[in-house]
Amino acid sequence: MEHELILSLIKRGDLAEASKILSQLLHKNKNDFKSLILLSDIRQQSNDLNGAIKLLFRAHLIKPNNINILNKLSRLYYQTQRTDQAISTLKKALILQSDAVEIKVNLANIYASLFKYHECI
C-alpha cells in the first residue's frame, strides 16, 4: 500500500516526499528490495548517480541473480565513468543468463565506446 502512494507521488513529480517515505521504510527494514529500487530511481532522476549506485548495489546484494538489477547497475557505473565495473557487472549478468540480448548489446556498446571493436563481436 505504501509503495502505491510512493508511485503516485513519483508520477506527480513529488520526488522529495516519495524519497522521505522510502527513507523511512528503509530505516524500518534496510532490506526492503522494492524501496531500494524506487529510491535508487529517484536518486538517478535527481542526478545523484553515486547515491543511486549505493542503493542499487544494496538491492543487488539481496537478489544477486537479478539480471535487471545488474543491467541497471552497469548503466550507472558507465554513466559515472566506471567502465571496468560496468563491463564486469554485465559479464556477471551474462554468466547468469547467457542468452540475454539486452545485456549483450549493452556490453557491445561499452566496448564500442572504448574503440575495442574486436570485443563487440
Side-chain angles (χ1 to χ4, degrees):
M1 184 168 176
E2 291 166 324
H3 288 116
E4 291 172 15
L5 169 65
I6 293 162
L7 289 172
S8 73
L9 288 168
I10 292 171
K11 195 172 188 175
R12 285 193 317 220
D14 193 350
L15 300 181
E17 185 62 24
S19 183
K20 178 181 164 187
I21 295 169
L22 286 165
S23 294
Q24 291 170 350
L25 290 173
L26 287 168
H27 183 71
K28 293 178 191 173
N29 178 7
K30 66 179 182 167
N31 293 323
D32 181 348
F33 183 78
K34 192 168 187 175
S35 293
L36 287 167
I37 300 301
L38 289 170
L39 190 54
S40 174
D41 288 346
I42 290 172
R43 294 283 190 269
Q44 187 175 0
Q45 288 177 38
S46 303
N47 211 28
D48 176 10
L49 300 183
N50 289 319
I53 288 170
K54 288 176 186 176
L55 292 161
L56 205 52
F57 189 79
R58 284 175 53 194
H60 163 66
L61 293 176
I62 296 167
K63 294 190 179 184
N65 295 335
N66 186 315
I67 66 163
N68 294 321
I69 298 301
L70 290 169
N71 195 29
K72 288 176 78 167
L73 193 54
S74 72
R75 276 189 252 127
L76 288 170
Y77 284 142
Y78 184 75
Q79 288 177 316
T80 56
Q81 311 302 313
R82 299 180 221 177
T83 45
D84 288 342
Q85 284 179 290
I87 290 168
S88 66
T89 301
L90 289 171
K91 285 182 176 181
K92 182 189 270 188
L94 281 175
I95 290 169
L96 295 170
Q97 188 175 338
S98 62
D99 62 343
V101 174
E102 184 179 358
I103 302 294
K104 290 179 180 182
V105 169
N106 290 342
L107 186 56
N109 286 335
I110 291 173
Y111 281 131
S113 74
L114 299 172
F115 305 104
K116 295 183 177 183
Y117 301 115
H118 62 281
E119 297 288 341
C120 294
I121 299 168

